[in-house]
Amino acid sequence: MAERDGELMPAHPTRRLSPTLALTLLAAIGIIGFTDRIIMNVLVEPVKAQFGLSDTEIGLVNGLAFALLNIILGLVVARVAERSRRLTLVAIGTFFWSLATAATGMAQNFVQLMLARIGVGVGEAVGLPATGSVIADYFPPAKRATAISVLNLSAPIGALIGAMGGSIIAARWGWQYALYAAAVPGLILAVLVHLFVEEPPRGQHDVVANVDDVPSVKAVLWRYWQRRTMRHMLIGNAIASMIGFGLNAFVAAWLARRFGFSLVEAGVASGLVASLPAAFGITAAGWLGDRWGRTNTRAYALIPAVSMLVATPIYIVGVLNSSAFWAVTLIGIAALVQYTYMGTTFSTFHNMLHPRMRATGSAFTGLVYSLVGGGFGPLLMGALSDGLQSVAPTPGHALAWAMAGAASLYLWCALHYFLAARHIEAELALPTDPEPA
């Protein structure tokens, strides 16, 4: 950064200190990252047929393979991000995972498929942990839930693009070309963010004693354990992500098996039903959290708690319904409130962390999100579906029963958010500086 007339100016001639530009490009990168992560969900049936895989193996490819190195590298890269230019890491990671997505389409056997998916996870471990930290430095605490919610639109919009675009391209040209197409936007966005977005000053909107000292990993992890709000939100978020990843990994397959949807029909329906309502719900929850949070900070925990209580019975009734119309409609209604925890949870974490803790904190929550959610969610869902095959009348019924059982765990998540609401007001008032050793 250069200084002119007392103001900080971008050191790079093409880069701008613009919160809107930063949020737009980083949200776009998150969307493409999620597209590349979940596009395999809609390709389950053709990939399974080509390589002769079971649902458990599909869950392994779509979940644990992605998370394998992601969870290790994420923390390592985050420590680098606490001391260096975060947006350079974002650009490098985005470029790499896009190449790995294209490599997935070139796989000739199960092992190559696994290795390519591990590559996608490696790229995202480098590129994604720092994005939340950058946005937290661009926006003040009173606006962070809204900004982080927009950043978290990556999940529903990425799922929509992956499901609809992936199914249409796969039906016309083959599943490999769906992956090639998904790789292109990330390569472009990596260049754009490197050229046009400036690194914001760390902690510019926070009151901290020393913004330059980098706390240890131990201090970051201790913060998550010590503050009961963060502890309960982390547990609730981990369980919710496991349920969400598990359900979404098999929605298209469920529609195909239970109601005879074609690849395109299942992809379009699953994309629309899970994505558009979720995008609205995430954004609305972030906005409502910031608005209600001005007078009652318990809103950041109560909104997701109540939402999960509402979503659980609606989703279960939907997935067990014998009518395709009502099944899809009810799951869409559940999606309106099913993911409201995302923006309010991560903004609360950022508001309770020192500016030099945030990249590491994002990597840690990403580790939990990727391992418990992305890693074990699809794997356990696939295993449960396989286990129910022997007692269910059809494979579609077996998968529906497995999905209903998983959805019931949202009640467990709601409990943790209600517990977090008991402590959040007092703990948001505490300083974010690390405690003395």
Side-chain angles (χ1 to χ4, degrees):
M1 300 289 290
E3 189 170 325
R4 188 177 71 190
D5 297 330
E7 294 185 16
L8 287 172
M9 303 296 292
H12 195 283
T14 63
R15 293 176 184 155
R16 296 174 54 198
L17 269 171
S18 167
T20 301
L21 178 63
L23 183 57
T24 299
L25 285 180
L26 291 181
I29 282 176
I31 288 167
I32 295 305
F34 203 84
T35 300
D36 292 354
R37 179 189 300 190
I38 64 90
I39 191 170
M40 289 292 288
N41 292 355
V42 78
L43 305 178
V44 165
E45 296 304 305
V47 171
K48 182 178 179 179
Q50 177 158 337
F51 296 112
L53 307 180
S54 67
D55 277 352
T56 302
E57 288 171 320
I58 284 291
L60 190 61
V61 169
N62 286 359
L64 201 57
F66 172 87
L68 195 59
L69 289 181
N70 182 284
I71 62 176
I72 300 171
L73 286 178
L75 275 175
V76 175
V77 173
R79 299 307 292 169
V80 177
E82 302 288 19
R83 296 173 170 84
S84 60
R85 187 174 186 274
R86 293 163 288 183
L87 290 170
T88 299
L89 295 173
V90 172
I92 292 172
T94 303
F95 199 88
F96 184 85
W97 90 56
S98 299
L99 292 178
T101 299
T104 307
M106 301 176 187
Q108 299 297 310
N109 54 53
F110 178 67
V111 173
Q112 292 178 7
L113 200 65
M114 285 276 292
L115 291 174
R117 293 300 289 170
I118 289 172
V120 176
V122 168
E124 293 202 7
V126 174
L128 290 183
T131 57
S133 173
V134 171
I135 294 303
D137 283 333
Y138 263 117
F139 291 87
K143 295 183 179 179
R144 276 185 194 145
T146 303
I148 296 295
S149 292
V150 171
L151 192 65
N152 278 308
L153 289 178
S154 58
I157 297 179
L160 177 65
I161 295 172
M164 292 184 64
S167 62
I168 292 170
I169 294 173
R172 186 173 180 84
W173 291 288
W175 65 268
Q176 294 91 341
Y177 285 91
L179 292 161
Y180 301 153
V184 174
L187 300 175
I188 297 171
L189 286 167
V191 175
L192 292 179
V193 78
H194 180 69
L195 289 178
F196 297 114
V197 182
E198 184 57 87
E199 183 88 359
R202 295 190 195 245
Q204 64 176 333
H205 297 295
D206 300 280
V207 180
V208 290
N210 192 334
V211 76
D212 293 322
D213 290 343
V214 179
S216 65
V217 174
K218 180 180 177 181
V220 178
L221 298 181
W222 175 245
R223 175 65 53 83
Y224 276 89
W225 175 255
Q226 179 195 43
R227 298 200 178 177
R228 289 169 290 186
T229 301
M230 300 181 77
R231 190 193 318 164
H232 283 297
M233 281 189 160
L234 182 65
I235 296 171
N237 172 70
I239 301 166
S241 67
M242 181 179 69
I243 301 166
F245 272 110
L247 294 174
N248 289 330
F250 288 96
V251 168
W254 164 68
L255 289 171
R257 296 177 197 177
R258 184 73 177 86
F259 302 110
F261 280 34
S262 68
L263 176 64
V264 174
E265 290 170 339
V268 171
S270 63
L272 288 173
V273 75
S275 304
L276 292 183
F280 176 81
I282 291 170
T283 307
W287 175 84
L288 180 60
D290 280 338
R291 188 174 180 84
W292 186 10
R294 295 172 193 167
T295 56
N296 186 353
T297 54
R298 296 173 71 229
Y300 294 113
L302 289 176
I303 290 170
V306 174
S307 296
M308 289 177 187
L309 286 182
V310 174
T312 303
I314 297 174
Y315 197 99
I316 292 173
V317 172
V319 80
L320 295 179
N321 207 285
S322 59
S323 163
F325 171 81
W326 283 111
V328 171
T329 299
L330 288 170
I331 288 178
I333 294 172
L336 278 170
V337 291
Q338 191 176 348
Y339 305 101
T340 56
Y341 67 91
M342 298 180 72
T344 58
T345 298
F346 294 120
S347 66
T348 299
F349 290 164
H350 284 301
N351 288 342
M352 289 189 177
L353 291 171
H354 183 276
R356 294 276 180 176
M357 287 178 162
R358 288 174 183 154
T360 304
S362 294
F364 173 61
T365 54
L367 179 156
V368 175
Y369 190 74
S370 294
L371 180 61
V372 179
F376 287 105
L379 179 61
L380 293 175
M381 183 67 68
L384 183 57
S385 174
D386 284 339
L388 291 171
Q389 298 282 345
S390 60
V391 295
T394 68
H397 283 87
L399 187 52
W401 294 353
M403 294 169 74
S408 67
L409 295 178
Y410 276 126
L411 298 176
W412 184 8
C413 305
L415 172 62
H416 283 287
Y417 278 93
F418 277 120
L419 291 172
R422 297 173 60 184
H423 310 288
I424 190 169
E425 191 170 12
E427 292 181 339
L428 276 173
L430 296 174
T432 61
D433 294 289
E435 291 76 12

